[in-house]
Amino acid sequence: MAKFNMSNEKVKMPEQDPNIRNKNFDEVATGYTAEMALEEATRCVHCKNQPCVSGCPVSVKIPEFIQFIVDGDLDSAYEKIAETNNLPAICGRVCPQENQCEGVCTRGIKGEPVGIGRLERFVADYHNNKKYKKPVEVYANKEKVAVVGAGPSGLTAAADLAKLGYKVTLFDAFHTAGGVLMYGIPEFRLPKKLVNTELKNVIGLGVKLKTNTIVGRTLSIEDLYDQGYEAIYIASGAGLPKFLGIPGENLNGVYSANEFLTRMNLMKAYKFPKYDTPVHVGKKVCVVGGGNVAMDAARSAKRLGADVTVVYRRSFEEMPARAEESHHAIEEGINFMNLHNPVEIIGENGWVKAVKVEKMELGEPDASGRRRPVATGKFEEVEFESVIVSIGQSPNPLIKHTNPDIKTESWGGIIIDDTTMTSKDGVFAGGDAVSGAATVILAMGAGKKAAANIDKYIRNKND
């Protein structure tokens, strides 16, 4: 049996060299070897209260799967993860573990926490690379459930409902399922081949997938009821981009991060002209915002050969992006212009020429707990050829506009009760459609909760 490894540092994740990876779209982190995974797994001290499990939105039994790695039983390690997590290879890559399972890890009190995300990724990749996979037993019921939106929340709900025996149909507006996993997160962070593998795992549970179907246009909620669905889960995400509301936002060369990343990821614009979708960024790119999406946009633009500057109105320390993402951006040569706020985009012949920014300083903390940016009245113009606006996204308004009996918040989020049901009987909702743009794992947690509540609803209804 392997001895405990009491090192205060995680086993370092192998990565591409920054000056090589900033010119390609291959995955940055290359993953643990079996030896690295064993070394990291032995850092877990298997504390009795298991704070990591309660810190996980989908309640993965973390110490148990880690012990299977120590024992050399990777099949059992995967099965343990898959008991509660339907997308482990994805979560191992994009979850903000530092704020969740690893954030409460006992080993983190006097050093670095156990690399739980890295170990989850290792186990999931091992499983997905196997030629033979043990089939999942599914028990068929007669009831039909519709899931609207094939992003992380919808996929999780669909998988859990299928495991409970329901006949699940997953509807998605795009030609490709996956939601933000396919159109939002770049290839170098989340390879699309891997996403497709995870999608196949969900579809393999007996879930039917109907793409190019816009619920609210192609089909209505009432149409779904007429087709015999006994419950509906709305997981349509937050795909409506927010803009700055400043002069010049209609110039050529101004993108929302949503449009830019969709062109890059779903439509493969970075492979133009092999793929038909072009994307113009020019030599100098301004990315406005400080979150993970802003880092994704900036790092993608850098890989197109541009000189990229992130403009953010607060200090670097207060950026909401994961430390790992901003650290990678710095390594790759992204410039940061903090404590500056764009007030005008200046054009020439209809195209972006420069951005006028106002210098900011930090005031007292606001509702977010971060110090509020305060305008100084000092301005400067900086030359740029394109601007990517990444200041947040709102829920898709289509459901709200086509279903007035489903109540929403003033900003568009669908209102649900403690059972995740909306104001319309039998219609449930979760993920970004309810909360606004958040993380993949929180959307998945909402999907799990909704699936359990839908099961209770249908059982009570049919008793």
Side-chain angles (χ1 to χ4, degrees):
M1 183 175 176
K3 295 180 179 179
F4 282 128
N5 171 9
M6 297 311 294
S7 170
N8 282 334
E9 295 183 356
K10 294 179 185 178
V11 174
K12 186 175 175 60
M13 172 64 87
E15 296 175 349
Q16 285 193 71
D17 181 273
N19 291 320
I20 294 174
R21 71 183 191 233
N22 66 6
K23 300 175 184 66
N24 68 54
F25 279 79
D26 297 335
E27 192 169 11
V28 168
T30 55
Y32 277 169
T33 64
E35 293 75 19
M36 290 174 176
L38 177 59
E39 183 181 350
E40 184 61 29
T42 55
R43 292 187 66 234
C44 176
V45 295
H46 298 275
C47 42
K48 289 184 179 179
N49 60 343
Q50 300 186 348
C52 54
V53 177
S54 57
C56 173
V58 295
S59 302
V60 171
K61 296 172 183 175
I62 293 164
E64 294 180 42
F65 98 73
I66 289 177
Q67 185 57 49
F68 280 125
I69 297 175
V70 174
D71 297 340
D73 187 353
L74 299 184
D75 290 321
S76 294
Y78 179 83
E79 289 172 9
K80 183 58 62 177
I81 296 170
E83 285 178 9
T84 58
N85 186 349
N86 295 301
L87 307 170
I90 291 168
C91 291
R93 286 167 166 83
V94 303
C95 269
Q97 290 96 2
E98 66 275 13
N99 298 325
Q100 295 171 165
C101 55
E102 295 182 21
V104 292
C105 173
T106 302
R107 287 303 306 271
I109 296 172
K110 294 184 178 180
E112 292 186 324
V114 175
I116 298 166
R118 298 173 182 183
L119 293 174
E120 182 178 44
R121 167 185 167 154
F122 169 77
V123 171
D125 287 355
Y126 159 81
H127 174 80
N128 286 337
N129 289 330
K130 285 183 63 176
K131 290 184 179 179
Y132 172 77
K133 298 179 180 66
K134 182 180 177 181
V136 178
E137 293 185 14
V138 176
Y139 303 94
N141 293 330
K142 61 182 179 180
E143 294 94 344
K144 294 168 61 179
V145 179
V147 176
V148 180
S153 192
L155 288 168
T156 299
D160 277 10
L161 287 163
K163 289 176 182 177
L164 290 168
Y166 293 99
K167 295 178 180 178
V168 183
T169 303
L170 196 54
F171 297 90
D172 199 82
F174 278 146
H175 62 281
T176 302
V180 69
L181 304 173
M182 290 299 285
Y183 71 74
I185 303 175
E187 184 79 15
F188 55 81
R189 277 217 297 139
L190 185 62
K192 303 313 159 209
K193 181 179 178 182
L194 180 149
V195 178
N196 283 324
T197 298
E198 296 280 59
L199 284 169
K200 287 177 183 176
N201 292 339
V202 173
I203 300 304
L205 297 171
V207 174
K208 291 182 180 179
L209 174 63
K210 292 189 177 181
T211 55
N212 298 311
T213 305
I214 304 173
V215 174
R217 286 285 182 265
T218 315
L219 291 170
S220 68
I221 295 291
E222 297 305 324
D223 289 335
L224 295 176
Y225 278 128
D226 291 343
Q227 291 178 14
Y229 292 99
E230 297 204 25
I232 298 164
Y233 179 55
I234 300 173
S236 49
L240 183 66
K242 296 178 182 177
F243 284 93
L244 296 160
I246 61 175
E249 278 191 299
N250 291 327
L251 288 166
N252 292 318
V254 179
Y255 300 89
S256 69
N258 183 292
E259 178 194 353
F260 177 74
L261 289 170
T262 299
R263 283 173 175 259
M264 295 293 288
N265 301 325
L266 191 64
M267 302 175 184
K268 309 294 184 188
Y270 67 93
K271 292 185 177 181
F272 182 81
K274 181 179 178 181
Y275 284 76
D276 291 337
T277 301
V279 62
H280 166 83
V281 294
K283 294 179 180 179
K284 296 194 70 177
V285 178
C286 171
V287 176
V288 183
N292 290 326
V293 176
M295 296 305 106
D296 286 343
R299 296 172 68 196
S300 295
K302 180 70 177 179
R303 283 159 170 76
L304 295 177
D307 179 21
V308 182
T309 300
V310 172
V311 177
Y312 181 59
R313 62 183 184 160
R314 287 185 166 98
S315 68
F316 186 86
E317 290 71 26
E318 292 177 305
M319 288 173 57
R322 294 182 68 189
E324 178 181 278
E325 300 309 318
S326 55
H327 172 70
H328 279 159
I330 291 171
E331 285 186 332
E332 292 167 8
I334 305 296
N335 308 305
F336 285 83
M337 194 173 184
N338 292 95
L339 289 171
H340 284 82
N341 190 44
V343 294
E344 182 182 358
I345 301 171
I346 299 165
E348 184 176 78
N349 299 322
W351 289 86
V352 173
K353 179 186 178 184
V355 176
K356 183 179 180 180
V357 296
E358 182 174 13
K359 186 169 177 57
M360 312 296 283
E361 57 185 29
L362 294 178
E364 295 300 314
D366 60 15
S368 72
R370 296 173 296 164
R371 293 179 66 188
R372 183 173 56 87
V374 178
T376 66
K378 298 176 183 178
F379 301 91
E380 64 177 301
E381 289 184 12
V382 185
E383 289 189 1
F384 289 108
E385 293 179 45
S386 60
V387 177
I388 302 170
V389 181
S390 180
I391 58 170
Q393 294 172 190
S394 301
N396 189 320
L398 185 59
I399 296 294
K400 173 183 176 180
H401 292 158
T402 57
N403 295 275
D405 51 345
I406 295 179
K407 294 180 180 178
T408 61
E409 303 284 1
S410 58
W411 50 268
I414 298 172
I415 296 172
I416 57 174
D417 62 18
D418 290 341
T419 71
T420 66
M421 192 185 293
T422 69
S423 53
K424 189 176 179 67
D425 184 58
V427 178
F428 298 75
D432 290 3
V434 169
S435 65
T439 63
V440 167
I441 190 64
L442 288 175
M444 291 174 62
K448 289 192 75 65
K449 183 177 180 181
N453 285 319
I454 288 169
D455 179 45
K456 290 178 186 175
Y457 169 80
I458 292 176
R459 288 178 183 277
N460 291 336
K461 181 181 174 182
N462 294 336
D463 278 348

